[in-house]
Amino acid sequence: MNLTAPRQLLVALLLAAAAHAHAAPPPIAAFFGNSAFNGAMLSPDGRYLAAFIGADDRRDGLAVVELDTLKATMVAQFSDTDIGRAQWVNNERLMFSTVDKASGQRDQRYAPGLYVVDRDGKHFRQLALRRNEFIRSSDDNREKLPWHTYMLDQAGAQDSDYVYVIDAGFSNSGSVESEDLLRLNTRTGKAEPVAHPGTARGWVLDQHGEPRLLQTLDKNQASLRYLDPATKEWRTLLTFDGYTGEGGTFRPLAFDPDGALYVVSSDKRDKSALYRYDLKNNRLPAQHMVELDGFDFRGHLIVSKQRLLGVRVHGDAEGTAWFDPAMKELQAQVDQRLPGTVNLITPPTRPESAWVLVESYSDKQPRRVLVYNTESKRLSDVGRTAPQIKSADMGPRELVYYKARDGMQIPAWLTLPPGGAQKNLPMVVLVHGGPWVRGGSWHWDAEAEFLATRGYAVLEPEFRGSTGYGAQHFKAGWKQWGLAMQDDIADGTRWAVAQGYADANRVCIAGASYGGYATLMGLIKDPELYKCGVEWVGVTDINLMYDGGWFYNSDLSSDWKQYGMPHLIGDQVKDAAQLQATSPLAQAARLKQPLLMAYGGADRRVPLNHGLKFRDAVTQAGNRHVEWVEYSEEGHGWHLPKNRIDFWGRVERFLDKNIGKP
């Protein structure tokens, strides 16, 4: 058959579109397998790059690249565990800990440990044990630090062999009760405790890398204390409720190179902003420095050459507010080279070279790490997370807003399938855990994008009680499990249907932990909205959180149960009727829809009996559409790739069966 050129072109375009529409989506392992690359960080002088590198047949190791020559050296790698975290001690030396990515929670036998090594792989030394035993090191016959020694999440001065580390104290339930500080010489292994008042629960180092702020917690009373360099005495800046935050007018962020303290505070506002605190007079200034439209402030200072250059911020997405004109110009250069993505630039703290680190991402592109030379303009790839993912195969993600039934504005993340129809779709309402956390952000999200590539719209409500959207939004969720928090999720579902995104007859609700609780309550409370549910490691009864029974112990601390839960979730005595009315377990007989349940056999946050009791109750009530899976070695979530891949394969089949493959 002969066709004219325009018709040939049209047919070719139609065939290409049809082929794309029916092309197989990326495999499950592309979303939920372990990545061979897990990030990188510049040395303080910017001459070297440390990167976390792994492979299918090797454990994750730590490699160092000399950037000017691109010479790479694997400086640390174990045969039985993976490198977990790391930080530069100074330009010559790295400190790191381990994590076993090949074992589930049940089979974890070791703590992270603590190690150091030079950037050329020499002078390797273990500083802290990985288990509770007495061992003398073979190299210098000195005792190592105990297994409960951890890296601080602050880099420190990075100009000597000394670092500060945490000596954690644990309760019988496994929760952290104290965080004492040790000053550690990474060459000799000798550590000295830092004297302090109260029960330490958090530290902030100053511009010289020395401990300057301490948060203490005794029962439910928290205090923020400042070590005055003039008097060498601790003085209290603030006292507040350690579990609800009430009375806490600010929280410390960091010290700048001049020794000024930057704090995050709402200061009689609904949403918090960044302030430069007046330490001399113990007060906030009248004017804030940085605020984020629609969000509480979240971010950190960017310091280089003893100057505050800008602030990394996190509104709807991560970004940077630069104060320095040269960095603004550099940002423009990088953005021109990498269009269509957010590009986060991190300069070295004490640069002796022209290299900066760049992290690039979008809603369709997983994080990509590069280095950029500001003199030669050379831009080089370092590595990518989820390298099998192609941006063209991913769907768009955006922040939307809808009104709850009481008029409150609720944010939500909406992810749609790539290409094709964007209306009247089968939809998954994905409920975040916590619940006192911020659920989502504008970035590539493995769970949402996996579902979107299978043809489903995904709605993730930031229901009241979620953090990051102001004090009013957060406090409106107190004691609202199964009530207004649940209504927000239902109202979001109805909004998506009314907007035409979702087919009202093909909506499933899903979530983990608190999201699992909300899934069960949604199926029970709003049966007309949801045709099925998927819940994993979900709470099935609030009273079980207080007392899971003699056989199933949780890691929730006794103080949290005494001071936090009654205030934020519900008091077992005063709110007994409410806890009964909002218990999925007590109302299991009302759940008639198909349900997929998954639990970890070694979960101590939401022990297995939550799932077992609900499964038995709902099946005994006559529901024959319950699918159950237990990953016996897992804890609160799926640590092992094989289980993540198995679980999401089950989810895919379950959704296709119950709300239809699009």
Side-chain angles (χ1 to χ4, degrees), residues 297-320:
F297 178 87
R298 179 178 170 188
H300 63 265
L301 306 184
I302 302 176
V303 173
S304 181
K305 293 183 178 180
Q306 292 299 305
R307 294 173 54 224
L308 177 60
L309 301 183
V311 181
R312 182 67 36 78
V313 296
H314 194 162
D316 58 343
E318 284 185 90
T320 311

PDB file of all heavy atoms in Angstrom, residues 297-320:
ATOM      1  N   PHE A 297      10.054  25.866  57.899  1.00  0.00           N
ATOM      2  CA  PHE A 297      11.444  25.861  57.429  1.00  0.00           C
ATOM      3  C   PHE A 297      12.075  24.508  57.710  1.00  0.00           C
ATOM      4  O   PHE A 297      11.953  23.939  58.790  1.00  0.00           O
ATOM      5  CB  PHE A 297      12.276  26.948  58.102  1.00  0.00           C
ATOM      6  CG  PHE A 297      13.716  26.906  57.653  1.00  0.00           C
ATOM      7  CD1 PHE A 297      14.107  27.571  56.525  1.00  0.00           C
ATOM      8  CD2 PHE A 297      14.660  26.154  58.352  1.00  0.00           C
ATOM      9  CE1 PHE A 297      15.425  27.509  56.082  1.00  0.00           C
ATOM     10  CE2 PHE A 297      15.972  26.080  57.919  1.00  0.00           C
ATOM     11  CZ  PHE A 297      16.351  26.759  56.784  1.00  0.00           C
ATOM     12  N   ARG A 298      12.787  24.033  56.696  1.00  0.00           N
ATOM     13  CA  ARG A 298      13.568  22.805  56.827  1.00  0.00           C
ATOM     14  C   ARG A 298      14.805  22.970  55.958  1.00  0.00           C
ATOM     15  O   ARG A 298      14.695  23.366  54.796  1.00  0.00           O
ATOM     16  CB  ARG A 298      12.723  21.616  56.361  1.00  0.00           C
ATOM     17  CG  ARG A 298      13.395  20.259  56.420  1.00  0.00           C
ATOM     18  CD  ARG A 298      12.391  19.196  55.980  1.00  0.00           C
ATOM     19  NE  ARG A 298      12.985  17.897  55.778  1.00  0.00           N
ATOM     20  CZ  ARG A 298      12.349  16.855  55.256  1.00  0.00           C
ATOM     21  NH1 ARG A 298      11.079  16.996  54.891  1.00  0.00           N
ATOM     22  NH2 ARG A 298      12.942  15.700  55.100  1.00  0.00           N
ATOM     23  N   GLY A 299      15.986  22.724  56.500  1.00  0.00           N
ATOM     24  CA  GLY A 299      17.187  22.893  55.707  1.00  0.00           C
ATOM     25  C   GLY A 299      18.432  22.952  56.567  1.00  0.00           C
ATOM     26  O   GLY A 299      18.416  22.616  57.752  1.00  0.00           O
ATOM     27  N   HIS A 300      19.546  23.403  55.968  1.00  0.00           N
ATOM     28  CA  HIS A 300      20.796  23.540  56.704  1.00  0.00           C
ATOM     29  C   HIS A 300      21.651  24.627  56.083  1.00  0.00           C
ATOM     30  O   HIS A 300      21.434  25.039  54.933  1.00  0.00           O
ATOM     31  CB  HIS A 300      21.559  22.216  56.767  1.00  0.00           C
ATOM     32  CG  HIS A 300      21.985  21.685  55.427  1.00  0.00           C
ATOM     33  ND1 HIS A 300      21.243  20.771  54.717  1.00  0.00           N
ATOM     34  CD2 HIS A 300      23.088  21.937  54.665  1.00  0.00           C
ATOM     35  CE1 HIS A 300      21.850  20.484  53.579  1.00  0.00           C
ATOM     36  NE2 HIS A 300      22.975  21.175  53.527  1.00  0.00           N
ATOM     37  N   LEU A 301      22.630  25.105  56.854  1.00  0.00           N
ATOM     38  CA  LEU A 301      23.519  26.162  56.394  1.00  0.00           C
ATOM     39  C   LEU A 301      24.572  25.582  55.447  1.00  0.00           C
ATOM     40  O   LEU A 301      25.004  24.439  55.598  1.00  0.00           O
ATOM     41  CB  LEU A 301      24.226  26.826  57.577  1.00  0.00           C
ATOM     42  CG  LEU A 301      23.355  27.381  58.718  1.00  0.00           C
ATOM     43  CD1 LEU A 301      24.247  28.089  59.738  1.00  0.00           C
ATOM     44  CD2 LEU A 301      22.283  28.319  58.200  1.00  0.00           C
ATOM     45  N   ILE A 302      24.995  26.392  54.482  1.00  0.00           N
ATOM     46  CA  ILE A 302      26.083  26.018  53.577  1.00  0.00           C
ATOM     47  C   ILE A 302      27.245  26.968  53.844  1.00  0.00           C
ATOM     48  O   ILE A 302      27.144  28.178  53.606  1.00  0.00           O
ATOM     49  CB  ILE A 302      25.647  26.093  52.105  1.00  0.00           C
ATOM     50  CG1 ILE A 302      24.440  25.181  51.858  1.00  0.00           C
ATOM     51  CG2 ILE A 302      26.807  25.701  51.193  1.00  0.00           C
ATOM     52  CD1 ILE A 302      23.881  25.264  50.463  1.00  0.00           C
ATOM     53  N   VAL A 303      28.339  26.409  54.362  1.00  0.00           N
ATOM     54  CA  VAL A 303      29.484  27.203  54.786  1.00  0.00           C
ATOM     55  C   VAL A 303      30.711  26.771  54.002  1.00  0.00           C
ATOM     56  O   VAL A 303      30.962  25.570  53.825  1.00  0.00           O
ATOM     57  CB  VAL A 303      29.729  27.040  56.299  1.00  0.00           C
ATOM     58  CG1 VAL A 303      31.017  27.731  56.715  1.00  0.00           C
ATOM     59  CG2 VAL A 303      28.548  27.583  57.095  1.00  0.00           C
ATOM     60  N   SER A 304      31.477  27.732  53.520  1.00  0.00           N
ATOM     61  CA  SER A 304      32.726  27.453  52.832  1.00  0.00           C
ATOM     62  C   SER A 304      33.650  28.658  53.000  1.00  0.00           C
ATOM     63  O   SER A 304      33.192  29.806  52.995  1.00  0.00           O
ATOM     64  CB  SER A 304      32.477  27.189  51.343  1.00  0.00           C
ATOM     65  OG  SER A 304      33.688  26.887  50.662  1.00  0.00           O
ATOM     66  N   LYS A 305      34.955  28.406  53.151  1.00  0.00           N
ATOM     67  CA  LYS A 305      35.945  29.470  53.349  1.00  0.00           C
ATOM     68  C   LYS A 305      35.578  30.365  54.525  1.00  0.00           C
ATOM     69  O   LYS A 305      35.737  31.580  54.462  1.00  0.00           O
ATOM     70  CB  LYS A 305      36.101  30.314  52.083  1.00  0.00           C
ATOM     71  CG  LYS A 305      36.715  29.579  50.905  1.00  0.00           C
ATOM     72  CD  LYS A 305      36.903  30.530  49.726  1.00  0.00           C
ATOM     73  CE  LYS A 305      37.563  29.822  48.559  1.00  0.00           C
ATOM     74  NZ  LYS A 305      37.741  30.742  47.396  1.00  0.00           N
ATOM     75  N   GLN A 306      35.059  29.752  55.582  1.00  0.00           N
ATOM     76  CA  GLN A 306      34.675  30.499  56.782  1.00  0.00           C
ATOM     77  C   GLN A 306      33.642  31.583  56.490  1.00  0.00           C
ATOM     78  O   GLN A 306      33.618  32.630  57.136  1.00  0.00           O
ATOM     79  CB  GLN A 306      35.912  31.119  57.435  1.00  0.00           C
ATOM     80  CG  GLN A 306      36.872  30.102  58.032  1.00  0.00           C
ATOM     81  CD  GLN A 306      36.213  29.275  59.146  1.00  0.00           C
ATOM     82  OE1 GLN A 306      35.680  29.825  60.095  1.00  0.00           O
ATOM     83  NE2 GLN A 306      36.244  27.953  59.001  1.00  0.00           N
ATOM     84  N   ARG A 307      32.783  31.328  55.505  1.00  0.00           N
ATOM     85  CA  ARG A 307      31.713  32.263  55.169  1.00  0.00           C
ATOM     86  C   ARG A 307      30.414  31.496  55.003  1.00  0.00           C
ATOM     87  O   ARG A 307      30.404  30.368  54.481  1.00  0.00           O
ATOM     88  CB  ARG A 307      32.024  33.022  53.870  1.00  0.00           C
ATOM     89  CG  ARG A 307      33.215  33.966  53.961  1.00  0.00           C
ATOM     90  CD  ARG A 307      33.552  34.550  52.600  1.00  0.00           C
ATOM     91  NE  ARG A 307      32.377  35.177  52.003  1.00  0.00           N
ATOM     92  CZ  ARG A 307      32.028  35.030  50.724  1.00  0.00           C
ATOM     93  NH1 ARG A 307      32.733  34.247  49.926  1.00  0.00           N
ATOM     94  NH2 ARG A 307      30.971  35.656  50.252  1.00  0.00           N
ATOM     95  N   LEU A 308      29.324  32.103  55.428  1.00  0.00           N
ATOM     96  CA  LEU A 308      27.996  31.547  55.201  1.00  0.00           C
ATOM     97  C   LEU A 308      27.559  31.943  53.797  1.00  0.00           C
ATOM     98  O   LEU A 308      27.276  33.114  53.527  1.00  0.00           O
ATOM     99  CB  LEU A 308      27.008  32.079  56.247  1.00  0.00           C
ATOM    100  CG  LEU A 308      25.550  31.627  56.091  1.00  0.00           C
ATOM    101  CD1 LEU A 308      25.437  30.106  56.169  1.00  0.00           C
ATOM    102  CD2 LEU A 308      24.673  32.283  57.151  1.00  0.00           C
ATOM    103  N   LEU A 309      27.514  30.966  52.884  1.00  0.00           N
ATOM    104  CA  LEU A 309      27.216  31.244  51.481  1.00  0.00           C
ATOM    105  C   LEU A 309      25.734  31.174  51.155  1.00  0.00           C
ATOM    106  O   LEU A 309      25.269  31.825  50.227  1.00  0.00           O
ATOM    107  CB  LEU A 309      27.971  30.258  50.581  1.00  0.00           C
ATOM    108  CG  LEU A 309      29.497  30.239  50.696  1.00  0.00           C
ATOM    109  CD1 LEU A 309      30.076  29.257  49.697  1.00  0.00           C
ATOM    110  CD2 LEU A 309      30.065  31.627  50.482  1.00  0.00           C
ATOM    111  N   GLY A 310      24.992  30.360  51.920  1.00  0.00           N
ATOM    112  CA  GLY A 310      23.577  30.191  51.620  1.00  0.00           C
ATOM    113  C   GLY A 310      22.946  29.171  52.532  1.00  0.00           C
ATOM    114  O   GLY A 310      23.564  28.705  53.504  1.00  0.00           O
ATOM    115  N   VAL A 311      21.732  28.824  52.205  1.00  0.00           N
ATOM    116  CA  VAL A 311      20.966  27.869  53.002  1.00  0.00           C
ATOM    117  C   VAL A 311      20.311  26.868  52.066  1.00  0.00           C
ATOM    118  O   VAL A 311      19.633  27.254  51.098  1.00  0.00           O
ATOM    119  CB  VAL A 311      19.886  28.583  53.842  1.00  0.00           C
ATOM    120  CG1 VAL A 311      19.113  27.569  54.680  1.00  0.00           C
ATOM    121  CG2 VAL A 311      20.508  29.638  54.748  1.00  0.00           C
ATOM    122  N   ARG A 312      20.534  25.587  52.334  1.00  0.00           N
ATOM    123  CA  ARG A 312      19.792  24.532  51.633  1.00  0.00           C
ATOM    124  C   ARG A 312      18.407  24.456  52.253  1.00  0.00           C
ATOM    125  O   ARG A 312      18.281  24.340  53.477  1.00  0.00           O
ATOM    126  CB  ARG A 312      20.522  23.202  51.781  1.00  0.00           C
ATOM    127  CG  ARG A 312      19.930  22.000  51.086  1.00  0.00           C
ATOM    128  CD  ARG A 312      19.944  22.043  49.564  1.00  0.00           C
ATOM    129  NE  ARG A 312      21.098  22.667  48.952  1.00  0.00           N
ATOM    130  CZ  ARG A 312      22.302  22.108  48.803  1.00  0.00           C
ATOM    131  NH1 ARG A 312      22.530  20.898  49.245  1.00  0.00           N
ATOM    132  NH2 ARG A 312      23.275  22.754  48.207  1.00  0.00           N
ATOM    133  N   VAL A 313      17.363  24.565  51.440  1.00  0.00           N
ATOM    134  CA  VAL A 313      15.994  24.603  51.950  1.00  0.00           C
ATOM    135  C   VAL A 313      15.186  23.463  51.349  1.00  0.00           C
ATOM    136  O   VAL A 313      15.551  22.884  50.326  1.00  0.00           O
ATOM    137  CB  VAL A 313      15.323  25.960  51.636  1.00  0.00           C
ATOM    138  CG1 VAL A 313      16.034  27.091  52.350  1.00  0.00           C
ATOM    139  CG2 VAL A 313      15.284  26.222  50.124  1.00  0.00           C
ATOM    140  N   HIS A 314      14.061  23.155  51.987  1.00  0.00           N
ATOM    141  CA  HIS A 314      13.189  22.086  51.515  1.00  0.00           C
ATOM    142  C   HIS A 314      11.747  22.549  51.649  1.00  0.00           C
ATOM    143  O   HIS A 314      11.125  22.415  52.701  1.00  0.00           O
ATOM    144  CB  HIS A 314      13.423  20.815  52.321  1.00  0.00           C
ATOM    145  CG  HIS A 314      12.828  19.597  51.689  1.00  0.00           C
ATOM    146  ND1 HIS A 314      13.199  18.316  52.026  1.00  0.00           N
ATOM    147  CD2 HIS A 314      11.892  19.453  50.717  1.00  0.00           C
ATOM    148  CE1 HIS A 314      12.513  17.443  51.312  1.00  0.00           C
ATOM    149  NE2 HIS A 314      11.703  18.114  50.515  1.00  0.00           N
ATOM    150  N   GLY A 315      11.227  23.137  50.560  1.00  0.00           N
ATOM    151  CA  GLY A 315       9.822  23.504  50.506  1.00  0.00           C
ATOM    152  C   GLY A 315       9.058  22.360  49.862  1.00  0.00           C
ATOM    153  O   GLY A 315       9.028  21.243  50.380  1.00  0.00           O
ATOM    154  N   ASP A 316       8.436  22.618  48.697  1.00  0.00           N
ATOM    155  CA  ASP A 316       7.833  21.489  47.988  1.00  0.00           C
ATOM    156  C   ASP A 316       8.917  20.537  47.492  1.00  0.00           C
ATOM    157  O   ASP A 316       8.716  19.336  47.366  1.00  0.00           O
ATOM    158  CB  ASP A 316       6.957  21.973  46.828  1.00  0.00           C
ATOM    159  CG  ASP A 316       7.718  22.822  45.828  1.00  0.00           C
ATOM    160  OD1 ASP A 316       8.806  23.313  46.156  1.00  0.00           O
ATOM    161  OD2 ASP A 316       7.202  23.003  44.712  1.00  0.00           O
ATOM    162  N   ALA A 317      10.112  21.100  47.212  1.00  0.00           N
ATOM    163  CA  ALA A 317      11.272  20.311  46.815  1.00  0.00           C
ATOM    164  C   ALA A 317      12.495  20.876  47.525  1.00  0.00           C
ATOM    165  O   ALA A 317      12.441  21.933  48.143  1.00  0.00           O
ATOM    166  CB  ALA A 317      11.460  20.373  45.294  1.00  0.00           C
ATOM    167  N   GLU A 318      13.605  20.161  47.426  1.00  0.00           N
ATOM    168  CA  GLU A 318      14.862  20.703  47.931  1.00  0.00           C
ATOM    169  C   GLU A 318      15.376  21.775  46.977  1.00  0.00           C
ATOM    170  O   GLU A 318      15.210  21.671  45.757  1.00  0.00           O
ATOM    171  CB  GLU A 318      15.910  19.602  48.048  1.00  0.00           C
ATOM    172  CG  GLU A 318      15.723  18.675  49.224  1.00  0.00           C
ATOM    173  CD  GLU A 318      16.873  17.695  49.323  1.00  0.00           C
ATOM    174  OE1 GLU A 318      17.870  18.011  49.997  1.00  0.00           O
ATOM    175  OE2 GLU A 318      16.778  16.620  48.711  1.00  0.00           O
ATOM    176  N   GLY A 319      16.004  22.786  47.509  1.00  0.00           N
ATOM    177  CA  GLY A 319      16.591  23.847  46.707  1.00  0.00           C
ATOM    178  C   GLY A 319      17.592  24.603  47.543  1.00  0.00           C
ATOM    179  O   GLY A 319      17.949  24.186  48.649  1.00  0.00           O
ATOM    180  N   THR A 320      18.069  25.730  47.030  1.00  0.00           N
ATOM    181  CA  THR A 320      19.081  26.502  47.733  1.00  0.00           C
ATOM    182  C   THR A 320      18.756  27.979  47.663  1.00  0.00           C
ATOM    183  O   THR A 320      18.427  28.503  46.593  1.00  0.00           O
ATOM    184  CB  THR A 320      20.476  26.268  47.132  1.00  0.00           C
ATOM    185  OG1 THR A 320      20.711  24.862  47.004  1.00  0.00           O
ATOM    186  CG2 THR A 320      21.549  26.873  48.024  1.00  0.00           C
TER     187      THR A 320
END
